[in-house]
Amino acid sequence: MPDGWALDSQGRPTTDPLEGLKGVVLPTGQHKGYGLAVALDILSGVLTGSGFATEVKSLVQQWEEPQHVGHFFIAIDPVRFMPWEEFSERLKALFSILRGARRIDSETAIILPGEYEADLERKRRAQGIPLEEKTLEILHGLTCGRYGYDIPKV
């Protein structure tokens, strides 16, 4: 693990991933990442009445305990700041700049957040969701009443 990614349980920098899990994983971006992490902890933990900092439990390490995870959502109406057309044009300009960036690998496309998921959704809607044969057997068994479970009628 690269230096600067985690601190051990004593607060010392470590390159050992196991020791890092015993301590704390550091936010990316140094002081700016730290500031962003604190802001998000305030919004999703302190403000919502959920756990924050060390109060949030690990799903992996303490799976039998409640995690105390909070969520914070924000909705922004761009037309409160500028006309929709202007916002749209500015967004297109940003995307154009990002897509025009020099690539590390010329064979790999630059994608924007959400594009992969939107493409996958289009494929799933057109071709269906692939399931393993065993999963299909279980689902079929449930629909036939093989497992002593009644499917609720809606």
Side-chain angles (χ1 to χ4, degrees):
M1 178 174 68
D3 196 26
W5 280 24
L7 304 177
D8 67 14
S9 61
Q10 302 302 309
R12 296 178 303 243
T14 182
T15 56
D16 181 340
L18 296 176
E19 290 302 312
L21 288 174
K22 292 176 189 172
V24 63
V25 176
L26 295 171
T28 59
Q30 297 173 345
H31 64 283
K32 290 181 182 180
Y34 172 71
L36 183 58
V38 170
L40 290 175
D41 209 13
I42 292 168
L43 295 172
S44 62
V46 176
L47 180 64
T48 65
S50 302
F52 53 88
T54 58
E55 295 175 356
V56 179
K57 303 293 182 186
S58 167
L59 178 62
V60 176
Q61 295 171 342
Q62 297 132 333
W63 66 276
E64 291 181 342
E65 297 179 35
Q67 287 182 276
H68 306 294
V69 173
H71 301 281
F72 177 78
F73 300 90
I74 187 168
I76 299 173
D77 183 2
V79 298
R80 302 273 184 189
F81 298 89
M82 64 183 67
W84 178 256
E85 295 76 18
E86 183 181 350
F87 174 73
S88 258
E89 289 305 313
R90 291 176 58 82
L91 202 53
K92 287 176 190 173
L94 171 63
F95 292 169
S96 178
I97 291 167
L98 294 173
R99 285 196 176 99
R102 188 172 60 84
R103 299 175 188 188
I104 294 171
D105 175 4
S106 62
E107 300 297 316
T108 304
I110 294 175
I111 61 169
L112 300 172
E115 283 185 330
Y116 172 82
E117 293 81 2
D119 184 50
L120 186 60
E121 180 183 358
R122 278 190 292 279
K123 287 178 185 172
R124 296 289 192 255
R125 288 185 181 277
Q127 301 166 4
I129 299 171
L131 294 173
E132 293 182 17
E133 191 63 36
K134 182 68 177 169
T135 303
L136 288 172
E137 287 175 25
I138 291 169
L139 290 172
H140 181 70
L142 284 170
T143 62
C144 297
R146 281 191 211 144
Y147 303 113
Y149 178 81
D150 293 325
I151 304 288
K153 292 182 175 35
V154 285

